[in-house]
Amino acid sequence: MPPAQTMRSAVLFCVTAIVFAVCFTMLKAVIGGESPWLGLLLMFYFMGLAKVGEPLFVFRMPSFIREVRDWEAKGDVYQRMGFQRFGQLLRASPFRLLNTSVYLANRPWDLHSLYRHAASFEATHFWAALLFTPYIAFVWARGEGAIAALFLVIQVLFNIYPILHLRLLRGRLAPILARDGRRMS
């Protein structure tokens, strides 16, 4: 990436982080620091910062779960759980606006870029889920079971389903990319 573009991306990332910090502080002053909603907001801020910072860095899955297993790519477990339908829902609903670079891009994706972006998005959702899970347990332990249950539903819809949908996508792309690699060499 050219230095000017790197600088622009770094400034955008820093400005976004500052705006998120100011908004968080203002909301904390209004609803109080004990509010469980602040943890949910931090999860969304994390995902937003990961998206804005994507030109500078990308998250990666831990190596022990990075590779998509055959049963994930070819099995019917993911299909029975509705991960393909989840992808269709994303493309056909206002949720597509959450990631306009994928769903509304004016340029065609090459398969290698799509695979890299899917892996990056999967890792972002994974780390957001990993950070949010102990907070859900904390909210439940504080005796706020209804809010913890709602957060669990949000965790499934905003992190777990996207992770598994993206794993399915990567599992379908990998053989195509491998064939293209063999054909080119």
PDB file of all heavy atoms in Angstrom, residues 1-37:
ATOM      1  N   MET A   1       0.851  -1.167   0.000  1.00  0.00           N
ATOM      2  CA  MET A   1       0.000   0.000   0.000  1.00  0.00           C
ATOM      3  C   MET A   1       0.904   1.239   0.000  1.00  0.00           C
ATOM      4  O   MET A   1       1.870   1.308   0.751  1.00  0.00           O
ATOM      5  CB  MET A   1      -0.886  -0.061   1.255  1.00  0.00           C
ATOM      6  CG  MET A   1      -1.799   1.095   1.386  1.00  0.00           C
ATOM      7  SD  MET A   1      -2.999   1.119   2.758  1.00  0.00           S
ATOM      8  CE  MET A   1      -2.888  -0.387   3.607  1.00  0.00           C
ATOM      9  N   PRO A   2       0.590   2.229  -0.823  1.00  0.00           N
ATOM     10  CA  PRO A   2       1.394   3.451  -0.865  1.00  0.00           C
ATOM     11  C   PRO A   2       1.379   4.175   0.492  1.00  0.00           C
ATOM     12  O   PRO A   2       0.391   4.104   1.234  1.00  0.00           O
ATOM     13  CB  PRO A   2       0.701   4.305  -1.926  1.00  0.00           C
ATOM     14  CG  PRO A   2      -0.202   3.393  -2.675  1.00  0.00           C
ATOM     15  CD  PRO A   2      -0.502   2.244  -1.788  1.00  0.00           C
ATOM     16  N   PRO A   3       2.480   4.880   0.817  1.00  0.00           N
ATOM     17  CA  PRO A   3       2.563   5.559   2.118  1.00  0.00           C
ATOM     18  C   PRO A   3       1.407   6.532   2.379  1.00  0.00           C
ATOM     19  O   PRO A   3       0.918   6.622   3.506  1.00  0.00           O
ATOM     20  CB  PRO A   3       3.897   6.301   2.060  1.00  0.00           C
ATOM     21  CG  PRO A   3       4.694   5.592   1.024  1.00  0.00           C
ATOM     22  CD  PRO A   3       3.712   5.015   0.049  1.00  0.00           C
ATOM     23  N   ALA A   4       0.959   7.266   1.369  1.00  0.00           N
ATOM     24  CA  ALA A   4      -0.140   8.219   1.575  1.00  0.00           C
ATOM     25  C   ALA A   4      -1.429   7.484   1.949  1.00  0.00           C
ATOM     26  O   ALA A   4      -2.174   7.928   2.827  1.00  0.00           O
ATOM     27  CB  ALA A   4      -0.363   9.048   0.309  1.00  0.00           C
ATOM     28  N   GLN A   5      -1.669   6.360   1.309  1.00  0.00           N
ATOM     29  CA  GLN A   5      -2.859   5.581   1.624  1.00  0.00           C
ATOM     30  C   GLN A   5      -2.741   4.956   3.017  1.00  0.00           C
ATOM     31  O   GLN A   5      -3.724   4.898   3.753  1.00  0.00           O
ATOM     32  CB  GLN A   5      -3.070   4.501   0.567  1.00  0.00           C
ATOM     33  CG  GLN A   5      -4.413   3.830   0.657  1.00  0.00           C
ATOM     34  CD  GLN A   5      -4.628   2.843  -0.481  1.00  0.00           C
ATOM     35  OE1 GLN A   5      -3.771   2.672  -1.347  1.00  0.00           O
ATOM     36  NE2 GLN A   5      -5.767   2.196  -0.478  1.00  0.00           N
ATOM     37  N   THR A   6      -1.557   4.511   3.386  1.00  0.00           N
ATOM     38  CA  THR A   6      -1.327   3.974   4.728  1.00  0.00           C
ATOM     39  C   THR A   6      -1.582   5.050   5.766  1.00  0.00           C
ATOM     40  O   THR A   6      -2.237   4.806   6.786  1.00  0.00           O
ATOM     41  CB  THR A   6       0.113   3.429   4.861  1.00  0.00           C
ATOM     42  OG1 THR A   6       0.314   2.412   3.882  1.00  0.00           O
ATOM     43  CG2 THR A   6       0.366   2.869   6.245  1.00  0.00           C
ATOM     44  N   MET A   7      -1.086   6.245   5.520  1.00  0.00           N
ATOM     45  CA  MET A   7      -1.288   7.358   6.450  1.00  0.00           C
ATOM     46  C   MET A   7      -2.776   7.693   6.567  1.00  0.00           C
ATOM     47  O   MET A   7      -3.288   7.895   7.666  1.00  0.00           O
ATOM     48  CB  MET A   7      -0.488   8.579   5.996  1.00  0.00           C
ATOM     49  CG  MET A   7      -0.651   9.771   6.921  1.00  0.00           C
ATOM     50  SD  MET A   7      -0.104   9.419   8.604  1.00  0.00           S
ATOM     51  CE  MET A   7       1.620   9.707   8.417  1.00  0.00           C
ATOM     52  N   ARG A   8      -3.470   7.721   5.447  1.00  0.00           N
ATOM     53  CA  ARG A   8      -4.903   8.003   5.448  1.00  0.00           C
ATOM     54  C   ARG A   8      -5.660   6.944   6.257  1.00  0.00           C
ATOM     55  O   ARG A   8      -6.533   7.279   7.066  1.00  0.00           O
ATOM     56  CB  ARG A   8      -5.412   8.046   4.009  1.00  0.00           C
ATOM     57  CG  ARG A   8      -6.736   8.732   3.849  1.00  0.00           C
ATOM     58  CD  ARG A   8      -7.152   8.929   2.385  1.00  0.00           C
ATOM     59  NE  ARG A   8      -6.068   9.401   1.531  1.00  0.00           N
ATOM     60  CZ  ARG A   8      -5.583   8.742   0.470  1.00  0.00           C
ATOM     61  NH1 ARG A   8      -6.108   7.602   0.109  1.00  0.00           N
ATOM     62  NH2 ARG A   8      -4.603   9.241  -0.242  1.00  0.00           N
ATOM     63  N   SER A   9      -5.299   5.694   6.065  1.00  0.00           N
ATOM     64  CA  SER A   9      -5.941   4.605   6.803  1.00  0.00           C
ATOM     65  C   SER A   9      -5.646   4.699   8.292  1.00  0.00           C
ATOM     66  O   SER A   9      -6.530   4.464   9.124  1.00  0.00           O
ATOM     67  CB  SER A   9      -5.477   3.245   6.269  1.00  0.00           C
ATOM     68  OG  SER A   9      -5.884   3.074   4.937  1.00  0.00           O
ATOM     69  N   ALA A  10      -4.418   5.052   8.646  1.00  0.00           N
ATOM     70  CA  ALA A  10      -4.040   5.183  10.055  1.00  0.00           C
ATOM     71  C   ALA A  10      -4.790   6.339  10.717  1.00  0.00           C
ATOM     72  O   ALA A  10      -5.265   6.215  11.856  1.00  0.00           O
ATOM     73  CB  ALA A  10      -2.535   5.376  10.183  1.00  0.00           C
ATOM     74  N   VAL A  11      -4.901   7.460  10.011  1.00  0.00           N
ATOM     75  CA  VAL A  11      -5.637   8.610  10.559  1.00  0.00           C
ATOM     76  C   VAL A  11      -7.110   8.247  10.731  1.00  0.00           C
ATOM     77  O   VAL A  11      -7.707   8.534  11.778  1.00  0.00           O
ATOM     78  CB  VAL A  11      -5.463   9.851   9.653  1.00  0.00           C
ATOM     79  CG1 VAL A  11      -6.434  10.952  10.030  1.00  0.00           C
ATOM     80  CG2 VAL A  11      -4.022  10.355   9.723  1.00  0.00           C
ATOM     81  N   LEU A  12      -7.703   7.592   9.743  1.00  0.00           N
ATOM     82  CA  LEU A  12      -9.099   7.189   9.844  1.00  0.00           C
ATOM     83  C   LEU A  12      -9.303   6.241  11.031  1.00  0.00           C
ATOM     84  O   LEU A  12     -10.277   6.378  11.780  1.00  0.00           O
ATOM     85  CB  LEU A  12      -9.559   6.518   8.551  1.00  0.00           C
ATOM     86  CG  LEU A  12     -10.997   6.000   8.543  1.00  0.00           C
ATOM     87  CD1 LEU A  12     -11.995   7.146   8.747  1.00  0.00           C
ATOM     88  CD2 LEU A  12     -11.282   5.260   7.244  1.00  0.00           C
ATOM     89  N   PHE A  13      -8.384   5.312  11.208  1.00  0.00           N
ATOM     90  CA  PHE A  13      -8.478   4.378  12.334  1.00  0.00           C
ATOM     91  C   PHE A  13      -8.417   5.132  13.665  1.00  0.00           C
ATOM     92  O   PHE A  13      -9.236   4.892  14.561  1.00  0.00           O
ATOM     93  CB  PHE A  13      -7.359   3.326  12.259  1.00  0.00           C
ATOM     94  CG  PHE A  13      -7.389   2.351  13.382  1.00  0.00           C
ATOM     95  CD1 PHE A  13      -8.262   1.268  13.354  1.00  0.00           C
ATOM     96  CD2 PHE A  13      -6.561   2.501  14.482  1.00  0.00           C
ATOM     97  CE1 PHE A  13      -8.308   0.361  14.397  1.00  0.00           C
ATOM     98  CE2 PHE A  13      -6.599   1.602  15.533  1.00  0.00           C
ATOM     99  CZ  PHE A  13      -7.472   0.529  15.489  1.00  0.00           C
ATOM    100  N   CYS A  14      -7.461   6.052  13.793  1.00  0.00           N
ATOM    101  CA  CYS A  14      -7.309   6.810  15.046  1.00  0.00           C
ATOM    102  C   CYS A  14      -8.528   7.696  15.317  1.00  0.00           C
ATOM    103  O   CYS A  14      -9.015   7.758  16.457  1.00  0.00           O
ATOM    104  CB  CYS A  14      -6.032   7.646  15.015  1.00  0.00           C
ATOM    105  SG  CYS A  14      -4.532   6.646  15.089  1.00  0.00           S
ATOM    106  N   VAL A  15      -9.022   8.356  14.292  1.00  0.00           N
ATOM    107  CA  VAL A  15     -10.206   9.207  14.461  1.00  0.00           C
ATOM    108  C   VAL A  15     -11.410   8.363  14.874  1.00  0.00           C
ATOM    109  O   VAL A  15     -12.167   8.739  15.782  1.00  0.00           O
ATOM    110  CB  VAL A  15     -10.491  10.020  13.177  1.00  0.00           C
ATOM    111  CG1 VAL A  15     -11.863  10.656  13.219  1.00  0.00           C
ATOM    112  CG2 VAL A  15      -9.407  11.070  12.969  1.00  0.00           C
ATOM    113  N   THR A  16     -11.577   7.222  14.241  1.00  0.00           N
ATOM    114  CA  THR A  16     -12.688   6.329  14.592  1.00  0.00           C
ATOM    115  C   THR A  16     -12.565   5.867  16.039  1.00  0.00           C
ATOM    116  O   THR A  16     -13.557   5.864  16.787  1.00  0.00           O
ATOM    117  CB  THR A  16     -12.732   5.118  13.640  1.00  0.00           C
ATOM    118  OG1 THR A  16     -12.840   5.586  12.295  1.00  0.00           O
ATOM    119  CG2 THR A  16     -13.897   4.202  13.965  1.00  0.00           C
ATOM    120  N   ALA A  17     -11.359   5.495  16.459  1.00  0.00           N
ATOM    121  CA  ALA A  17     -11.146   5.054  17.843  1.00  0.00           C
ATOM    122  C   ALA A  17     -11.460   6.178  18.829  1.00  0.00           C
ATOM    123  O   ALA A  17     -12.085   5.946  19.871  1.00  0.00           O
ATOM    124  CB  ALA A  17      -9.707   4.564  18.022  1.00  0.00           C
ATOM    125  N   ILE A  18     -11.074   7.385  18.488  1.00  0.00           N
ATOM    126  CA  ILE A  18     -11.354   8.533  19.365  1.00  0.00           C
ATOM    127  C   ILE A  18     -12.860   8.795  19.438  1.00  0.00           C
ATOM    128  O   ILE A  18     -13.410   9.014  20.522  1.00  0.00           O
ATOM    129  CB  ILE A  18     -10.579   9.785  18.889  1.00  0.00           C
ATOM    130  CG1 ILE A  18      -9.085   9.597  19.140  1.00  0.00           C
ATOM    131  CG2 ILE A  18     -11.095  11.044  19.574  1.00  0.00           C
ATOM    132  CD1 ILE A  18      -8.197  10.614  18.445  1.00  0.00           C
ATOM    133  N   VAL A  19     -13.526   8.756  18.294  1.00  0.00           N
ATOM    134  CA  VAL A  19     -14.978   8.967  18.274  1.00  0.00           C
ATOM    135  C   VAL A  19     -15.669   7.884  19.108  1.00  0.00           C
ATOM    136  O   VAL A  19     -16.565   8.183  19.910  1.00  0.00           O
ATOM    137  CB  VAL A  19     -15.519   9.001  16.831  1.00  0.00           C
ATOM    138  CG1 VAL A  19     -17.040   8.906  16.804  1.00  0.00           C
ATOM    139  CG2 VAL A  19     -15.045  10.254  16.120  1.00  0.00           C
ATOM    140  N   PHE A  20     -15.261   6.631  18.943  1.00  0.00           N
ATOM    141  CA  PHE A  20     -15.854   5.555  19.735  1.00  0.00           C
ATOM    142  C   PHE A  20     -15.605   5.785  21.228  1.00  0.00           C
ATOM    143  O   PHE A  20     -16.506   5.581  22.045  1.00  0.00           O
ATOM    144  CB  PHE A  20     -15.283   4.200  19.324  1.00  0.00           C
ATOM    145  CG  PHE A  20     -15.846   3.639  18.040  1.00  0.00           C
ATOM    146  CD1 PHE A  20     -15.297   2.494  17.483  1.00  0.00           C
ATOM    147  CD2 PHE A  20     -16.912   4.228  17.374  1.00  0.00           C
ATOM    148  CE1 PHE A  20     -15.803   1.946  16.315  1.00  0.00           C
ATOM    149  CE2 PHE A  20     -17.426   3.700  16.200  1.00  0.00           C
ATOM    150  CZ  PHE A  20     -16.871   2.545  15.673  1.00  0.00           C
ATOM    151  N   ALA A  21     -14.405   6.193  21.593  1.00  0.00           N
ATOM    152  CA  ALA A  21     -14.082   6.421  23.005  1.00  0.00           C
ATOM    153  C   ALA A  21     -14.925   7.552  23.584  1.00  0.00           C
ATOM    154  O   ALA A  21     -15.443   7.451  24.712  1.00  0.00           O
ATOM    155  CB  ALA A  21     -12.592   6.721  23.164  1.00  0.00           C
ATOM    156  N   VAL A  22     -15.087   8.628  22.838  1.00  0.00           N
ATOM    157  CA  VAL A  22     -15.898   9.757  23.302  1.00  0.00           C
ATOM    158  C   VAL A  22     -17.360   9.336  23.442  1.00  0.00           C
ATOM    159  O   VAL A  22     -18.014   9.626  24.457  1.00  0.00           O
ATOM    160  CB  VAL A  22     -15.748  10.972  22.352  1.00  0.00           C
ATOM    161  CG1 VAL A  22     -16.779  12.048  22.649  1.00  0.00           C
ATOM    162  CG2 VAL A  22     -14.337  11.542  22.444  1.00  0.00           C
ATOM    163  N   CYS A  23     -17.875   8.642  22.442  1.00  0.00           N
ATOM    164  CA  CYS A  23     -19.271   8.174  22.504  1.00  0.00           C
ATOM    165  C   CYS A  23     -19.478   7.222  23.681  1.00  0.00           C
ATOM    166  O   CYS A  23     -20.480   7.313  24.390  1.00  0.00           O
ATOM    167  CB  CYS A  23     -19.667   7.479  21.201  1.00  0.00           C
ATOM    168  SG  CYS A  23     -19.818   8.599  19.797  1.00  0.00           S
ATOM    169  N   PHE A  24     -18.522   6.323  23.895  1.00  0.00           N
ATOM    170  CA  PHE A  24     -18.610   5.382  25.009  1.00  0.00           C
ATOM    171  C   PHE A  24     -18.638   6.132  26.338  1.00  0.00           C
ATOM    172  O   PHE A  24     -19.467   5.849  27.214  1.00  0.00           O
ATOM    173  CB  PHE A  24     -17.435   4.404  24.970  1.00  0.00           C
ATOM    174  CG  PHE A  24     -17.484   3.368  26.054  1.00  0.00           C
ATOM    175  CD1 PHE A  24     -18.246   2.228  25.897  1.00  0.00           C
ATOM    176  CD2 PHE A  24     -16.774   3.542  27.233  1.00  0.00           C
ATOM    177  CE1 PHE A  24     -18.300   1.270  26.901  1.00  0.00           C
ATOM    178  CE2 PHE A  24     -16.823   2.594  28.244  1.00  0.00           C
ATOM    179  CZ  PHE A  24     -17.589   1.447  28.071  1.00  0.00           C
ATOM    180  N   THR A  25     -17.750   7.112  26.485  1.00  0.00           N
ATOM    181  CA  THR A  25     -17.682   7.895  27.720  1.00  0.00           C
ATOM    182  C   THR A  25     -18.971   8.671  27.954  1.00  0.00           C
ATOM    183  O   THR A  25     -19.490   8.713  29.088  1.00  0.00           O
ATOM    184  CB  THR A  25     -16.473   8.859  27.669  1.00  0.00           C
ATOM    185  OG1 THR A  25     -15.291   8.086  27.428  1.00  0.00           O
ATOM    186  CG2 THR A  25     -16.322   9.623  28.951  1.00  0.00           C
ATOM    187  N   MET A  26     -19.509   9.263  26.911  1.00  0.00           N
ATOM    188  CA  MET A  26     -20.758  10.019  27.053  1.00  0.00           C
ATOM    189  C   MET A  26     -21.923   9.086  27.415  1.00  0.00           C
ATOM    190  O   MET A  26     -22.730   9.404  28.296  1.00  0.00           O
ATOM    191  CB  MET A  26     -21.071  10.794  25.769  1.00  0.00           C
ATOM    192  CG  MET A  26     -20.111  11.941  25.544  1.00  0.00           C
ATOM    193  SD  MET A  26     -20.440  13.051  24.140  1.00  0.00           S
ATOM    194  CE  MET A  26     -21.338  12.127  22.969  1.00  0.00           C
ATOM    195  N   LEU A  27     -21.999   7.934  26.760  1.00  0.00           N
ATOM    196  CA  LEU A  27     -23.071   6.999  27.067  1.00  0.00           C
ATOM    197  C   LEU A  27     -22.932   6.454  28.484  1.00  0.00           C
ATOM    198  O   LEU A  27     -23.920   6.314  29.210  1.00  0.00           O
ATOM    199  CB  LEU A  27     -23.093   5.851  26.060  1.00  0.00           C
ATOM    200  CG  LEU A  27     -24.250   4.864  26.209  1.00  0.00           C
ATOM    201  CD1 LEU A  27     -25.592   5.580  26.010  1.00  0.00           C
ATOM    202  CD2 LEU A  27     -24.109   3.722  25.232  1.00  0.00           C
ATOM    203  N   LYS A  28     -21.707   6.181  28.892  1.00  0.00           N
ATOM    204  CA  LYS A  28     -21.455   5.698  30.258  1.00  0.00           C
ATOM    205  C   LYS A  28     -21.917   6.724  31.282  1.00  0.00           C
ATOM    206  O   LYS A  28     -22.480   6.370  32.323  1.00  0.00           O
ATOM    207  CB  LYS A  28     -19.966   5.397  30.427  1.00  0.00           C
ATOM    208  CG  LYS A  28     -19.601   4.798  31.747  1.00  0.00           C
ATOM    209  CD  LYS A  28     -18.117   4.486  31.769  1.00  0.00           C
ATOM    210  CE  LYS A  28     -17.676   4.079  33.158  1.00  0.00           C
ATOM    211  NZ  LYS A  28     -16.221   3.899  33.213  1.00  0.00           N
ATOM    212  N   ALA A  29     -21.720   8.005  30.999  1.00  0.00           N
ATOM    213  CA  ALA A  29     -22.164   9.065  31.914  1.00  0.00           C
ATOM    214  C   ALA A  29     -23.686   9.125  31.990  1.00  0.00           C
ATOM    215  O   ALA A  29     -24.250   9.430  33.038  1.00  0.00           O
ATOM    216  CB  ALA A  29     -21.606  10.413  31.465  1.00  0.00           C
ATOM    217  N   VAL A  30     -24.357   8.786  30.894  1.00  0.00           N
ATOM    218  CA  VAL A  30     -25.816   8.863  30.859  1.00  0.00           C
ATOM    219  C   VAL A  30     -26.461   7.631  31.505  1.00  0.00           C
ATOM    220  O   VAL A  30     -27.364   7.758  32.327  1.00  0.00           O
ATOM    221  CB  VAL A  30     -26.318   9.033  29.408  1.00  0.00           C
ATOM    222  CG1 VAL A  30     -27.826   8.897  29.327  1.00  0.00           C
ATOM    223  CG2 VAL A  30     -25.874  10.365  28.846  1.00  0.00           C
ATOM    224  N   ILE A  31     -25.997   6.437  31.138  1.00  0.00           N
ATOM    225  CA  ILE A  31     -26.669   5.223  31.623  1.00  0.00           C
ATOM    226  C   ILE A  31     -25.955   4.576  32.804  1.00  0.00           C
ATOM    227  O   ILE A  31     -26.478   3.633  33.380  1.00  0.00           O
ATOM    228  CB  ILE A  31     -26.868   4.191  30.490  1.00  0.00           C
ATOM    229  CG1 ILE A  31     -25.540   3.659  29.967  1.00  0.00           C
ATOM    230  CG2 ILE A  31     -27.705   4.777  29.377  1.00  0.00           C
ATOM    231  CD1 ILE A  31     -25.677   2.545  28.939  1.00  0.00           C
ATOM    232  N   GLY A  32     -24.774   5.056  33.145  1.00  0.00           N
ATOM    233  CA  GLY A  32     -24.047   4.515  34.293  1.00  0.00           C
ATOM    234  C   GLY A  32     -23.077   3.420  33.898  1.00  0.00           C
ATOM    235  O   GLY A  32     -23.324   2.659  32.961  1.00  0.00           O
ATOM    236  N   GLY A  33     -22.005   3.343  34.628  1.00  0.00           N
ATOM    237  CA  GLY A  33     -20.941   2.379  34.335  1.00  0.00           C
ATOM    238  C   GLY A  33     -21.313   0.937  34.633  1.00  0.00           C
ATOM    239  O   GLY A  33     -20.632   0.012  34.195  1.00  0.00           O
ATOM    240  N   GLU A  34     -22.377   0.718  35.373  1.00  0.00           N
ATOM    241  CA  GLU A  34     -22.814  -0.639  35.716  1.00  0.00           C
ATOM    242  C   GLU A  34     -23.723  -1.248  34.651  1.00  0.00           C
ATOM    243  O   GLU A  34     -24.097  -2.407  34.756  1.00  0.00           O
ATOM    244  CB  GLU A  34     -23.548  -0.623  37.061  1.00  0.00           C
ATOM    245  CG  GLU A  34     -22.671  -0.218  38.231  1.00  0.00           C
ATOM    246  CD  GLU A  34     -21.557  -1.229  38.490  1.00  0.00           C
ATOM    247  OE1 GLU A  34     -21.844  -2.446  38.484  1.00  0.00           O
ATOM    248  OE2 GLU A  34     -20.413  -0.795  38.673  1.00  0.00           O
ATOM    249  N   SER A  35     -24.094  -0.476  33.660  1.00  0.00           N
ATOM    250  CA  SER A  35     -25.024  -0.956  32.645  1.00  0.00           C
ATOM    251  C   SER A  35     -24.400  -2.089  31.827  1.00  0.00           C
ATOM    252  O   SER A  35     -23.282  -1.950  31.310  1.00  0.00           O
ATOM    253  CB  SER A  35     -25.416   0.180  31.700  1.00  0.00           C
ATOM    254  OG  SER A  35     -26.199  -0.333  30.642  1.00  0.00           O
ATOM    255  N   PRO A  36     -25.116  -3.200  31.677  1.00  0.00           N
ATOM    256  CA  PRO A  36     -24.588  -4.304  30.873  1.00  0.00           C
ATOM    257  C   PRO A  36     -24.499  -3.964  29.387  1.00  0.00           C
ATOM    258  O   PRO A  36     -23.757  -4.600  28.648  1.00  0.00           O
ATOM    259  CB  PRO A  36     -25.592  -5.439  31.119  1.00  0.00           C
ATOM    260  CG  PRO A  36     -26.835  -4.763  31.539  1.00  0.00           C
ATOM    261  CD  PRO A  36     -26.418  -3.504  32.246  1.00  0.00           C
ATOM    262  N   TRP A  37     -25.219  -2.930  28.945  1.00  0.00           N
ATOM    263  CA  TRP A  37     -25.232  -2.578  27.535  1.00  0.00           C
ATOM    264  C   TRP A  37     -23.888  -2.042  27.068  1.00  0.00           C
ATOM    265  O   TRP A  37     -23.589  -2.069  25.866  1.00  0.00           O
ATOM    266  CB  TRP A  37     -26.358  -1.586  27.257  1.00  0.00           C
ATOM    267  CG  TRP A  37     -27.663  -2.180  27.662  1.00  0.00           C
ATOM    268  CD1 TRP A  37     -28.373  -1.888  28.782  1.00  0.00           C
ATOM    269  CD2 TRP A  37     -28.376  -3.218  26.995  1.00  0.00           C
ATOM    270  NE1 TRP A  37     -29.492  -2.680  28.849  1.00  0.00           N
ATOM    271  CE2 TRP A  37     -29.526  -3.504  27.756  1.00  0.00           C
ATOM    272  CE3 TRP A  37     -28.159  -3.929  25.827  1.00  0.00           C
ATOM    273  CZ2 TRP A  37     -30.442  -4.477  27.385  1.00  0.00           C
ATOM    274  CZ3 TRP A  37     -29.082  -4.892  25.451  1.00  0.00           C
ATOM    275  CH2 TRP A  37     -30.205  -5.156  26.231  1.00  0.00           C
TER     276      TRP A  37
END
